[in-house]
Each structure stands twice: as structure tokens, then as C-alpha cells.
Amino acid sequence: MKTLLLVDASSYLYRAFHALPDLRNRHNEPTGAIYGVLNMLRRLHQDYQADYSACVFDAKGKTFRDDLYPDYKANRPPMPSDLAAQIEPLHDSIRAMGWPLLAVEGVEADDVIGTLAQIGARAGMRVVISTGDKDIAQLVNSHISLINTMSNEALDEAGVTTKFGVPPERIVDYLTLIGDSADNVPGVDKVGPKTAVKWLTQYQTLDNLVKHASQISGVVGENLRNALEWLPKARELLTIRCDVPLPLKLEELTAGPQDTARLAGLYERLEFKTWLRELQNSGSNEAPPASSKPPAEVQYECILSEAQLEQWLCRLEQADLVSLDTETTSLDPMQARLVGISFAITPHEAAYLPLAHHYAGAPQQLDFEKTLLRLKPWLESPDNAKVGQNLKYDSHIFANHGIFLRGIVHDTLLQSYIVESHKPHDMDSMASRHLGIKTLPYAEVAGKGAKQIGFEEVDLDTATRYAAEDADITLQLHQHLYPQIQPDSGLEYVYRNIEIPVSKILFHVERNGVLIDSSLLAKQSRALGEKLLTLESGAHALAGQPFNLNSPKQIQEILFGLLGLPVKKKTPGGTPSTDEDVLQQLAEDYPLPKLLLEYRGLAKLKSTYTDKLPRMVNPATGRVHTSYNQAVAVTGRLSSTEPNLQNIPVRSEEGRRIREAFIAPPGSRIISADYSQIELRIMAHLSGDKNLLRAFAAGEDIHRATASEIFACTLLEVTPEQRRYAKVINFGLIYGMSAFGLASQLGIERGAAQAYMDRYFTRYPGVADYMAGTRDMAKQQGYVETVFGRRLWLPDIKGGNGPRRQAAERAAINAPMQGTAADLIKLAMIAVHQWLQENRMKTLLVMQVHDELVLEVPQEELAAVRRELPGLMCNVAALAVPLVAEVGEGANWEQAH
DNA sequence: CTGCTAGCATA
DNA sequence: GTATGCTAGCAGA
């Protein structure tokens, strides 16, 4: 079936003129309406491959309606000169694009369209009319449909009936009753859409209604009777003519070739730079990249002119949701500077706004500061909804330029994490997994390794393709992922009430940073260095030759080759292990392993902490800013990198001294609060074990309580050794331990370990049931859940070989506990942050270490924080066990414990 | 310069 | 036995 596409260009011209900002070229000629109409035609051309088409305008001069009714359109002001001035260049551009253009003197565009539509429909064609005008709905039938290209609303017969309440053939009656104020054609006084639909539903047609006019009661009935004489004329005026003589045949309405040279000249003058570049580039297109499905046609625009910027800003302000992405000079969120911003509002269409590209021959870009200032209100508006891929990063970038991003309602990184925490969440993987799209890899844009260039050096064409795609893909991912979250109340809760709020808080925590006493660490480094030298020469002496104490391979050769010590265990690579466990055992009989242990411990402290941390101090803020990754740990925990502040030593005496270097500025103190036995409490809650619940409710020392059960004695009779055993067992339970693991941990026989476990499960039968139930559940559905509905996937639990499946079973036991603990502390962060904000406090949240929050508290807020913090943390959820948080205070992190 | 292993810091 | 991230050494570019 052939298609006829008719464009009611006049209806768009007025709308574009009024809707778009007053865009002008450098000669101060208005261009906004031209831009709007051309943009619409480009979209239309993309969506419809029509066999015949026409772009129809009103022509100058009187029409039959003016003869029929002298007041027709009499209330219209004359066309604004700024609009009149745009008509000729618009017509020229449309013709140059190859569109057949019609403006028939003495005939309105509507009547031209009506006549052509009828001809097309009679010839058996599919007719599509693109219009912004509701009057044309009267033309719709089984062959003819409407599309509003501005709102993307399509109307067929059913659509018209749904939208107006009457079918297309009654639209004229409907319009006659309500009148058309734009054309100065009155209807029946006080009759609007509601009454018109009511009457037409009751009496079917206007003619029938007129016949029964005497039956209509009330004021509107009276008004109807008063209008009876006028209505036929109104009806004639509002009826689109489908039989006007036209000076052409339908067959002539075929698109001609594009006159590229002429079009380029027009775009040049109008300063439509992206379209101009597009014209210049067409013909030298490279082959599209391979992809698993035919790539959708995309429209990526590079914003280089004020006019384009204003046009996009206008769209951004009106959009329900905008996908947003930044391009920067660096991956370090605190140091990176903005290079460009990309936006997407509808799939396959996006814009890149370059602001700081500099390379030889780089085009002039919009002024950096001025443009950011122009965008700032939109970026900072909480009412303009945004989606992005890891917007915490973009928030930092904007913050580096004094802009505070608000209106973050969605984040595809977090969506992916919520839907399938165990899969990769980078955009390239997600685009291929969910959308079947092969994205442009960053390495192809900027190179890789030593040859990698900064994004600011990437040429604008490539940068636009890359950056606009990021925004486009993010939007498409959102449309794909969010529907998988929204219907599930558990996932929706975790996403909306935990992850999204936490990402905003993490932004603040990262920006706050933490103060480090670099000179203290330097002093410790020096001391450690000296000690290491002594240990090293001692080790060389014992070995009888020099070797690198940092090299496990060389240690191996010395210990098991040169000195012939017994091999205790092998590494996965099959070589003799020299790890802590092994050295510990060997140290009982030989001097060198003990020395190596001491060396290893100190070397780790020096290289990872005392040497490294001072180098991580941000010169601008004088503090250390870690990055919290919210989407790596499959259990829902956070992780911390660059530097990792979640593995600062605490167990050894020397290690703890490093925590003395985490300080507060003068006038402030460090407060630390950590949940006590959070995972065991969650185990009690999840299992509902009476005995365990009772012990927590009574506030007993839980390891002591466990010991008294296992060793069948009273709490007071438990020895320190028994309590230590019980503690190992309790931890083992959380980790889904086996008798084998427990045995090696306690250094006892497997049988003895099994006996302890049996005793435990006899005394806590609820725990045994819970563990078995969790394993079964995991096997059945492939995932387990936290108390709040977070899903923890275990891909290996069904398939997988023996060891892998066993590991998955242990993870299944551990995940609900670790994951619920993660949910709880995230809720605590939200509660604490909100409390601080509501009370306008200066206290800063500076670190999160899985079950601990660290705050920097000004002297004057100390009392309030100490008083409120534990309650804020413990009241985030009502579990079957009480939650307990212990709070400490000090000049540094070590003292606060 | 990149990617891997061994080892080890935390909860 | 669970979950992470970082360093040094080392092999193969």
C-alpha cells in the first residue's frame, strides 16, 4: 500500500514561533520558527518513508470563508513581522530539502489537505496527516490518520473517539457546537466539550439535536435555540472542504532530490551549524560498526550555537525526565574538570554540548562560564527530573564548578545493581546485554594505555558520537531496567528508599573527606623503615644470603629449597605456600619464619598505609577523599577505593597507630558509632530461634551465651578459652562454615569440630532450620533476599561444579545476613544525614566501614550527636531483636573506639 | 606498559 | 567458611 504524507505546516509554524525562544542569527534575523518547523520535518522524514508527500501552507489572500462570513478570523492580530520574515527562508529550505510545497491562493491549507487526503484515500492509499490542529480530526477514517509530530501523538478513528468523545464523522458537529475562538467562529453560548459530547451522545447528530432543540432545558437549552439560525453557517465554516480544485495532480507530489548546495547556503545563513556539518559530512560516512541487530537510526547533535543551546534548554525544561552525562578531564571525581555535557530526552536522539575541547583546529565552542551559568538553574532544580549512569560522579564534576546537581530521581547503575547485582554494570556491557547495542568503546575514542588522550583533545565529531550515545543509551537502559524494579515492592523499596538516597549522601561523605595527620604518618613510615632494614639484614644473616623479603617466590626458594623446611600447604598455583598460616606453624620450630612474619606485617603497614595515605591528600582540600562504590559488592555492601578506607588496620598494636592519624580539625572531635554484633542479631531475627532471641533480648554477651550452651555450663563458668571457641563458631555460622573449616580455624580435629557444631544446632534448632531453608530457597529460585527485599543472586547454586556450588551454598547462608546489615547501615546513614540536615548542624559524616559510621563533630554539637546517634542507628528498623550501637569519642579515630 | 598471582588489611 | 581493595613481584609484551 502506498503512503501519502501531508504536513499541515501552517499549524506548526505558529506553534513553533510561539513555543520556541527568540533565536536569531548574527544578522539579528529571527530563525526560531524556521528551526522548529524544519526540525519537525526532519523527524517526520525519518519516521515515514512516504511515496507521496506535501508540505502545505496557507497562502495570502481571501478565501471562500471570508466571503461567507466577513468576521472570519477577524479577531486575529496581523502576523508579527518576526514571523512573516521567516516564511520565505522556511519555504526555500523546505524546497531545497526536496519536499513538494503547496500554498494555493484562495484556498486554506486545511482544505488543500482535505482534498488531497480524499483523493489519496479513494486511490487506496494510507494517508497520514501531520498537524498540530485538532480541527483536522474530522478527516480521519479507516484510510486517514493523524500524527502530531510535536507531541508524538498519533490518532486513528479509535484515537479520535477516545480523545474527543465523538467519532471523526461527528467532529464537525462537535466543533460547531463549541465554536472556534481562534477563527472567530462562535458556537452555542456556554457549550464546551463536555456538553457537546453529552448532546451528541444522546442525539447522535447535530441535525437530530436541532430537531429536538425544544426539549433541552435550562440556560444552555435556551442558548441552543437562540443559535439555531447561526449553526448551519458555523458548520459550513468549520467543515474542511474536500473538493477544492487544485492546480496539480497527486502523482506530482513525489519528493525531489535534496539540493544540498542550496540547503547548505541556507543553513549557513540561518546558522544551523549541526545540520550544516551533517550535510558536509554526508557522503563521507564510515561503515557502521557490527551489531547484533540493525542499528536504529540515531540523531546526535553537537551544540555549538546559542540558538541550539536555547532550543535544547527549552526542551530540557519541559521534559519529564532527562538523561544526563558529563565528559571530563579525569576519572578522579574531585579533580576532574568538565569538558562537555550530553543530554537525551527521547531514545535515539541526543545532544552533546562541548565546552572545553582544545586541539588543533577545534571549532569555536560556547563560552564555558556563560553556558554553565545558563544551565545552572536547570541543573540545580529539584523539579527537573534527571537520570544518569552513576550520577554521583557527575554530581562531583558539577560541584567542582560550583553547581549542585538536584532532581536526581533515577540512576541506571543502581537500577542494574538492584535488578542483577552479580552482573557487570558498565554501560557497554549493559547496552549489549539489555539493548543488543554495541556501543562505541572509549578506547576507540581516546585510545588506550600510554597513548590515551584526554577527552578534551577528542575531536568534536567523535566526541559527539560518544557522549551523545552515552546519554541516549542511559535513557534506553532506564526505560528497560526501571520497569523490572517498579512492580516489585521489595526491589522498588530498596531502590527508591535506600540506594538513590544513599548515593546522594555518599556524594556528601566523599566531598567531606577526612582529615589526616600526614606528619604523624611520615614519622611512622620512618620508624617502620628503620625496623624493616634491621629485620631484613637479620633475615639475610639467617638465610646466609641476601634475598627480597617482599617476594614470595624468593622466600619459597630460601625456606623450602635452601633451608629445607617442611612444606605445610601449596598455593593454588601448586607452589609451596609461604602465607601467614604456614609461617606461623614454621615459626614454632625455626627462627626465620618468625622474622618474615614480622617483616611482612610491617611492610604491609608501610607500603599500603603510612606511605600511601599522605600521598592521597587532596591538595585543594587538605583531606583524603575516598570513592565509595555502591554497585560492586553483590551483597549490598559499599566498597571503598582510592584509597580504601574500609581496611585501615585495627587488630594489631602497630596497625592501630595508623588510626591515630585520622583526626578532626581544631575545635572538632571524631565520633565513631558501630553496630554491635549486627550480623548475629540478624541471624536471630531471620531464624526466629527462641534461644538466640532470648539471649539478645536479655542483653547477654552473645559469645559467652553460646559457650555456655555448647559447653553446658552457666554463663559465669565460661572460661576465656571457651568463649574464644564460641566466638569462632559464631563467626563461622555467619560464613556458612563446614566442620572442616571450623576445625582448621580452631586447630582441632574434624570430628571434634563436628561435635561442636552438632551441639550448637541442638541448642539453637531454629538456626539449623533457617540454614537448611535458606539453602533450599536459594537452590529453588536462584537468589536469596534481605529483610528489605534486596535480591542476592547466586548463579552457581544450580549448575556449577562441586566446589563452586558448595561455595555458592555458603554464600547463600551469608548473603541475607551481610546484605541485611548493609541495608540497615544504609538506612542509618539516611537517618543520620537527615537529622543533621534538619537541625542545620555542622557535623560531617566522614566514613562508613560496613557496621560503623565515623563523624567529625564540632565541640558545640558533641553532646547532641553522642546522645542521638545510637538511637538514629538503632531505630531504622524494628527487628525481632534489639539493635545496639556503641558510640565513642576522641581526638582521633583510634581514641574514638 | 599490562595482567596475573600471592598475600593481607577490613567487616 | 562470607564480602571487599591494594601492593609487590613477575612474566610477557
Side-chain angles (χ1 to χ4, degrees):
Chain A
M1 194 192 291
K2 296 209 167 183
T3 301
L4 168 62
L5 175 60
L6 299 168
V7 183
D8 182 9
S10 288
S11 75
Y12 288 119
L13 180 64
Y14 281 93
R15 279 171 176 76
F17 180 70
H18 290 111
L20 296 181
D22 182 20
L23 311 181
R24 286 169 190 276
N25 66 4
R26 70 173 81 82
H27 304 299
N28 204 34
E29 293 163 336
T31 60
I34 304 176
Y35 183 87
V37 175
L38 291 186
N39 195 30
M40 198 268 307
L41 286 175
R42 285 162 56 91
R43 293 229 299 270
L44 210 50
H45 179 70
Q46 213 179 330
D47 295 345
Y48 294 90
Q49 271 72 46
D51 301 287
Y52 303 102
S53 56
C55 196
V56 186
F57 283 87
D58 286 324
K60 280 180 276 186
K62 289 202 178 308
T63 70
F64 79 94
R65 290 192 180 83
D66 295 289
D67 297 333
L68 197 65
Y69 176 49
D71 286 343
Y72 186 66
K73 294 190 177 176
N75 56 350
R76 281 215 191 159
M79 184 183 281
S81 61
D82 274 348
L83 176 53
Q86 296 187 61
I87 289 179
E88 200 186 304
L90 175 61
H91 283 188
D92 287 349
S93 304
I94 292 171
R95 289 198 184 94
M97 285 164 89
W99 283 85
L101 187 147
L102 289 176
V104 182
E105 217 166 305
V107 186
E108 281 184 77
D110 286 1
D111 301 313
V112 175
I113 288 169
T115 303
L116 286 172
Q118 276 305 328
I119 294 170
R122 269 200 296 270
M125 294 183 188
R126 176 174 83 115
V127 182
V128 178
I129 303 173
S130 171
T131 179
D133 189 347
K134 66 179 187 312
D135 296 3
I136 296 199
Q138 64 185 271
L139 297 176
V140 171
N141 60 32
S142 57
H143 296 99
I144 304 172
S145 65
L146 303 187
I147 169 85
N148 182 329
T149 309
M150 285 197 160
S151 63
N152 266 327
E153 180 187 34
L155 290 178
D156 57 6
E157 285 179 290
V160 170
T161 313
T162 313
K163 180 172 169 150
F164 294 96
V166 295
E169 59 270 25
R170 292 278 77 80
I171 289 288
V172 174
D173 293 354
Y174 166 89
L175 292 172
T176 305
L177 287 168
I178 62 179
D180 185 338
S181 59
D183 290 348
N184 199 33
V185 178
V188 176
D189 211 19
K190 294 279 181 286
V191 170
K194 288 272 175 351
T195 312
V197 169
K198 193 177 92 187
W199 285 350
L200 288 172
T201 308
Q202 194 176 349
Y203 297 99
Q204 285 82 50
T205 65
L206 180 60
D207 291 337
N208 195 34
L209 170 68
V210 167
K211 272 188 209 150
H212 297 87
S214 55
Q215 299 170 6
I216 312 269
S217 60
V219 184
V220 281
E222 192 57 35
N223 290 344
L224 172 64
R225 289 185 284 280
N226 289 338
L228 285 180
E229 209 172 315
W230 161 252
L231 287 178
K233 194 169 212 174
R235 184 177 178 158
E236 194 176 356
L237 288 167
L238 292 169
T239 302
I240 294 173
R241 298 272 294 265
C242 296
D243 53 0
V244 294
L246 294 178
L248 71 133
K249 288 203 163 61
L250 185 60
E251 290 68 35
E252 294 169 46
L253 298 178
T254 50
Q258 172 175 281
D259 183 348
T260 306
R262 174 147 182 70
L263 198 55
L266 284 158
Y267 286 171
E268 178 102 58
R269 185 179 128 205
L270 296 164
E271 292 170 16
F272 297 156
K273 292 182 184 164
T274 314
W275 295 347
L276 180 59
R277 201 173 3 264
E278 196 180 280
L279 283 181
Q280 290 157 347
N281 290 345
S282 64
S284 65
N285 276 344
E286 284 173 47
S291 116
S292 53
K293 70 177 180 191
E297 210 176 313
V298 291
Q299 197 175 320
Y300 294 158
E301 177 180 347
C302 182
I303 300 176
L304 287 170
S305 70
E306 299 273 348
Q308 285 172 287
L309 177 67
E310 292 305 320
Q311 153 85 21
W312 268 91
L313 205 55
C314 180
R315 293 183 62 192
L316 294 182
E317 273 159 3
Q318 286 166 18
D320 291 331
L321 180 69
V322 175
S323 165
L324 177 70
D325 186 38
T326 57
E327 303 303 334
T328 66
T329 54
S330 153
L331 280 175
D332 175 355
M334 291 293 296
Q335 311 258 343
R337 309 294 296 173
L338 194 59
V339 173
I341 312 171
S342 53
F343 312 96
I345 300 170
T346 53
H348 312 299
E349 194 187 342
Y352 177 56
L353 169 61
L355 291 170
H357 286 258
H358 52 80
Y359 52 90
Q364 174 82 47
Q365 294 147 68
L366 288 170
D367 181 77
F368 191 93
E369 293 299 332
K370 227 177 100 187
T371 307
L372 272 190
L373 222 53
R374 184 79 185 90
L375 282 167
K376 189 173 166 142
W378 180 80
L379 290 166
E380 294 191 336
S381 162
D383 301 324
N384 289 114
K386 288 131 191 141
V387 57
Q389 163 80 1
N390 193 14
L391 279 178
K392 173 158 70 70
Y393 175 80
D394 305 272
S395 301
H396 279 298
I397 306 309
F398 285 121
N400 293 344
H401 296 279
I403 290 173
F404 294 90
L405 191 63
R406 291 191 194 85
I408 298 172
V409 297
H410 287 298
D411 195 314
T412 49
L413 175 72
L414 303 178
Q415 288 174 353
S416 173
Y417 183 57
I418 288 299
V419 172
E420 35 191 16
S421 61
H422 59 298
K423 299 229 175 124
H425 311 300
D426 62 284
M427 203 183 307
D428 293 350
S429 312
M430 292 203 286
S432 124
R433 189 163 81 240
H434 297 299
L435 310 173
I437 294 174
K438 163 103 177 59
T439 48
L440 181 59
Y442 190 78
E444 267 177 43
V445 170
K448 60 176 176 176
K451 290 194 292 272
Q452 188 170 75
I453 56 173
F455 201 82
E456 67 277 10
E457 298 171 81
V458 174
D459 73 278
L460 283 192
D461 281 338
T462 312
T464 300
R465 266 190 291 142
Y466 178 82
E469 179 178 77
D470 272 5
D472 178 20
I473 296 294
T474 301
L475 182 67
Q476 294 185 47
L477 283 171
H478 163 70
Q479 295 182 349
H480 181 86
L481 287 170
Y482 187 55
Q484 297 179 44
I485 294 172
Q486 213 208 350
D488 185 296
S489 62
L491 296 184
E492 170 74 5
Y493 179 86
V494 176
Y495 173 65
R496 195 175 287 276
N497 297 336
I498 298 184
E499 298 302 347
I500 291 282
V502 160
S503 74
K504 299 175 190 180
I505 293 169
L506 289 177
F507 162 75
H508 290 290
V509 178
E510 291 174 1
R511 262 196 122 63
N512 291 341
V514 60
L515 194 60
I516 298 287
D517 185 343
S518 292
S519 65
L520 178 61
L521 289 173
K523 215 166 84 190
Q524 293 178 4
S525 273
R526 279 195 300 277
L528 287 170
E530 284 169 26
K531 232 171 175 173
L532 286 171
L533 277 177
T534 317
L535 290 169
E536 188 180 26
S537 51
H540 291 173
L542 284 174
Q545 65 176 78
F547 63 99
N548 185 345
L549 278 75
N550 290 317
S551 166
K553 193 174 158 230
Q554 292 185 32
I555 291 177
Q556 206 181 88
E557 284 158 10
I558 297 285
L559 289 183
F560 308 110
L562 188 69
L563 301 178
L565 269 49
V567 173
K568 299 283 178 179
K569 73 172 169 185
K570 299 274 186 76
T571 66
T575 57
S577 168
T578 67
D579 72 11
E580 186 175 336
D581 228 43
V582 171
L583 294 183
Q584 208 96 58
Q585 290 180 48
L586 293 171
E588 290 174 15
D589 302 312
Y590 309 93
L592 183 52
K594 187 166 190 298
L595 231 158
L596 289 174
L597 273 173
E598 204 178 339
Y599 180 91
R600 280 235 184 108
L602 298 184
K604 172 93 178 174
L605 292 182
K606 184 171 186 292
S607 66
T608 312
Y609 304 107
T610 60
D611 283 354
K612 193 70 200 293
L613 283 173
R615 277 187 264 141
M616 300 299 290
V617 172
N618 181 307
T621 64
R623 299 166 69 103
V624 171
H625 304 267
T626 185
S627 287
Y628 288 99
N629 198 326
Q630 208 180 338
V632 288
V634 291
T635 50
R637 273 192 183 176
L638 301 177
S639 80
S640 159
T641 58
E642 283 182 283
N644 182 355
L645 294 186
Q646 292 180 322
N647 71 345
I648 304 300
V650 71
R651 287 171 195 172
S652 73
E653 182 63 38
E654 307 96 311
R656 265 201 299 279
R657 296 196 54 204
I658 291 167
R659 294 194 169 209
E660 291 173 7
F662 286 72
I663 56 174
S668 288
R669 303 273 282 174
I670 294 291
I671 280 188
S672 156
D674 64 311
Y675 281 119
S676 163
Q677 306 296 352
I678 184 86
E679 290 180 359
L680 279 177
R681 285 173 199 270
I682 292 164
M683 186 169 88
H685 170 88
L686 288 170
S687 68
D689 183 273
K690 296 276 181 345
N691 201 6
L692 206 50
L693 288 174
R694 184 205 50 76
F696 276 120
E700 288 172 9
D701 170 343
I702 197 62
H703 300 315
R704 181 171 290 272
T706 303
S708 85
E709 295 289 357
I710 292 176
F711 298 105
C713 59
T714 67
L715 286 171
L716 289 171
E717 288 164 353
V718 171
T719 67
E721 179 73 353
Q722 287 173 330
R723 186 179 180 280
R724 189 179 72 80
Y725 268 49
K727 189 173 174 179
V728 173
I729 290 168
N730 276 334
F731 273 99
L733 285 163
I734 294 169
Y735 298 150
M737 71 172 174
S738 62
F740 179 84
L742 182 63
S744 76
Q745 193 73 175
L746 287 173
I748 58 175
E749 291 300 313
R750 224 195 107 165
Q754 187 63 55
Y756 285 136
M757 284 178 64
D758 290 346
R759 211 112 45 118
Y760 182 96
F761 288 127
T762 314
R763 300 306 300 161
Y764 300 101
V767 176
D769 290 347
Y770 165 72
M771 302 226 157
T774 304
R775 241 186 297 262
D776 289 347
M777 184 104 70
K779 268 182 200 163
Q780 201 184 26
Q781 53 191 19
Y783 63 85
V784 291
E785 281 177 327
T786 69
V787 168
F788 298 93
R790 181 191 301 278
R791 259 178 219 177
L792 313 154
W793 290 89
L794 303 152
D796 285 338
I797 197 105
K798 289 179 182 170
N801 48 31
R804 279 178 78 114
R805 200 177 58 250
Q806 285 174 342
E809 284 179 17
R810 292 192 294 269
I813 301 291
N814 171 262
M817 294 183 259
Q818 196 182 118
T820 300
D823 291 344
L824 287 171
I825 195 147
K826 282 175 171 175
L827 288 169
M829 293 172 75
I830 296 168
V832 170
H833 183 84
Q834 192 187 338
W835 177 70
L836 291 173
Q837 215 167 35
E838 279 171 359
N839 293 284
R840 308 236 184 290
M841 296 174 70
K842 295 195 188 74
T843 293
L844 302 176
L845 192 50
V846 295
M847 284 187 281
Q848 189 258 39
V849 193
H850 307 309
D851 66 358
E852 173 186 12
L853 296 179
V854 183
L855 298 90
E856 183 183 296
V857 187
Q859 203 74 47
E860 65 273 20
E861 295 177 2
L862 268 180
V865 172
R866 289 201 67 144
R867 187 180 65 237
E868 298 295 330
L869 192 53
L872 286 165
M873 289 174 70
C874 295
N875 295 330
V876 291
L879 301 186
V881 279
L883 293 180
V884 172
E886 288 163 354
V887 70
E889 176 207 326
N892 58 57
W893 194 9
E894 165 61 13
Q895 280 180 15
H897 261 110

